[in-house]
Amino acid sequence: MWKLLKTNLVIEKSSKKNIFAFIFIALFIFGLALYMENEDVGNLAAQKTSEQQNVLSALSQYPDMDASPNGDSSEIYKNLNEQQRLIALQRIAANLNKPDLFADSAIDLSNAREKAFLDADYGDVAEFLPTYNENKLETIFYERLISLDIPIFTDNLTYYQFLIFLFGILGSVWFIFVAFYTCGIMIDDFKHTSLIKGYPISFDKYVAAKGISTMSIILVFILEIFLCSLPLIYFRGLGDPNYPVAVFDGNYEIYSITKYIGISVLYMIFIAIFVILLSIILNVLLKNMYLTLFVEMFLFALPLLFPRLVSLIPFNPFNYINFTDLLDGKSLELAHPVGLNSTHGLIYIGISIVILIVIANVFLSTGKLKRV
C-alpha cells in the first residue's frame, strides 16, 4: 500500500486539476489582499459612517420630535438619537486616532442598543440595527480591549489580522471547495472495476491509498494559505497573534487569533476527511460525479433551506460545516434559536467520519462492490 500511496502522490503532484487548484488558491489570497487594500477594509471611520446611515434610516420612520430626556418623544426615538450621538463620537475618535475614546464610546453604544432590545417598539426598527448576538459579541470584544489596555488594530493587512479575515471567508466556502475538488474521486474506478483488478493489492486498500493521497494534497492546500500570506509580514508587519476575537462557543467568549485559526484549521481537516469519504461512498452508489456533487450541495444547504432542522436535529454534522457562522453565533439568530457549540461540532463530524469509514469498509470489498 505504501508504494501505491507514493505512486498516487507522484501522479497527483502533476495533475492539471491540482495545479489549477494551487493557482486558484494563490490568486484568491492575493486578490483578497488587493481588495482589502483598495476598499480600505478595517477603516473604523468608514464602518461607523455605514452604521450612522442605518440609524438615520431608522429615525426616518418617525416624525421629528423632542429627543431630550424630558421630551415628549418615545423611548425608542430617544435611544436612536443617543446611538447616533455615540456613533458620531466614534467617528471623531477614529479620525483623530483616539482609540481609548473609541472603545469607551463603543461600550456606551452597546449598552444603548441593549436597552433598545427591551423596548416594545424595537421591532419597528430592528432591520436597521445589529442583532442582539452581534451587539453582544461587540460588547465583550471592547470590554476585553479595555481590560487588557490593548489598542484597536486598524490594519487588517498585517499577517495575523489578514489570516483572521481570510479564515472568516474560508469557513463559509471550504465545504463547497472540497466538494467540487473531490466529487470525481475514483469515479472511473467505480465505473470500470476491471481497471484495477490486476493490482497486487485489495480494493479496500487501493481506495484507502487514494483517499489518503487526496487528503495529503488538501493539507498542502491549507499550508499554501499560510505561505501565500507570508509576504504581508514584509509589507505590513506580523500583527498581534494574541489579539482578541469575540466568538460564541456555547457561551460568549474571547479567543486569541491563534486559537481561532487553530480551531478553523481543525475544522477544515475534519470537513475535508468527511467530504472525501462522502464522495467515495456516493460515487460507489451513484457512479456519477455530478449527482454526487448535487447530493453534497443539497445536504450542505439543508440547514439553510429548513432552519427548523437545526434545533430539531442539533447533532446533524451539516449544522457545523460553516464554522464561521458557527463561531459568529448565527444559530442564535434563527427563528428557533439554538446555541451550537464548536466542540460538539467537531465531535459530531468526527462520529460521522467513523460511520462513513464503516460504511466504506462494507462497500469497498470487491465482492460488495459487485453487488452495489
Side-chain angles (χ1 to χ4, degrees), residues 215-273:
M215 186 63 210
S216 299
I217 297 298
I218 291 176
L219 290 175
V220 176
F221 290 156
I222 296 174
L223 178 62
E224 183 187 10
I225 292 169
F226 292 94
L227 295 178
C228 287
S229 303
L230 285 175
L232 291 173
I233 298 177
Y234 175 78
F235 291 107
R236 304 298 280 264
L238 186 64
D240 183 2
N242 296 313
Y243 195 72
V245 181
V247 301
F248 180 82
D249 190 11
N251 296 296
Y252 290 102
E253 298 182 27
I254 292 292
Y255 287 174
S256 66
I257 286 182
T258 49
K259 182 176 181 179
Y260 186 97
I261 291 174
I263 290 176
S264 298
V265 170
L266 197 57
Y267 260 95
M268 291 168 74
I269 292 172
F270 271 55
I271 290 170
I273 297 172

Side-chain angles (χ1 to χ4, degrees), residues 242-305:
N242 296 313
Y243 195 72
V245 181
V247 301
F248 180 82
D249 190 11
N251 296 296
Y252 290 102
E253 298 182 27
I254 292 292
Y255 287 174
S256 66
I257 286 182
T258 49
K259 182 176 181 179
Y260 186 97
I261 291 174
I263 290 176
S264 298
V265 170
L266 197 57
Y267 260 95
M268 291 168 74
I269 292 172
F270 271 55
I271 290 170
I273 297 172
F274 176 73
V275 177
I276 289 171
L277 290 167
L278 185 61
S279 294
I280 289 174
I281 292 170
L282 288 175
N283 279 337
V284 170
L285 296 173
L286 304 175
K287 295 184 173 61
N288 186 307
M289 61 181 288
Y290 301 107
L291 283 177
T292 292
L293 183 60
F294 173 79
V295 171
E296 290 175 341
M297 291 298 101
F298 175 76
L299 291 172
F300 174 72
L302 204 57
L304 301 175
L305 297 173

Side-chain angles (χ1 to χ4, degrees), residues 312-333:
L312 289 176
I313 315 175
F315 51 84
N316 175 11
F318 287 94
N319 293 343
Y320 304 87
I321 291 298
N322 187 335
F323 55 83
T324 297
D325 282 357
L326 173 66
L327 292 173
D328 283 345
K330 294 299 182 183
S331 62
L332 296 173
E333 300 173 11

Side-chain angles (χ1 to χ4, degrees), residues 6 51 58 77 105 111 122 144 152-153 177 190 216 243 350:
K6 289 173 62 178
E51 287 186 29
Y77 185 81
S105 55
N111 291 335
Y122 171 73
R144 179 58 62 91
I152 299 173
F153 229 109
F177 171 78
F190 293 140
S216 299
Y243 195 72

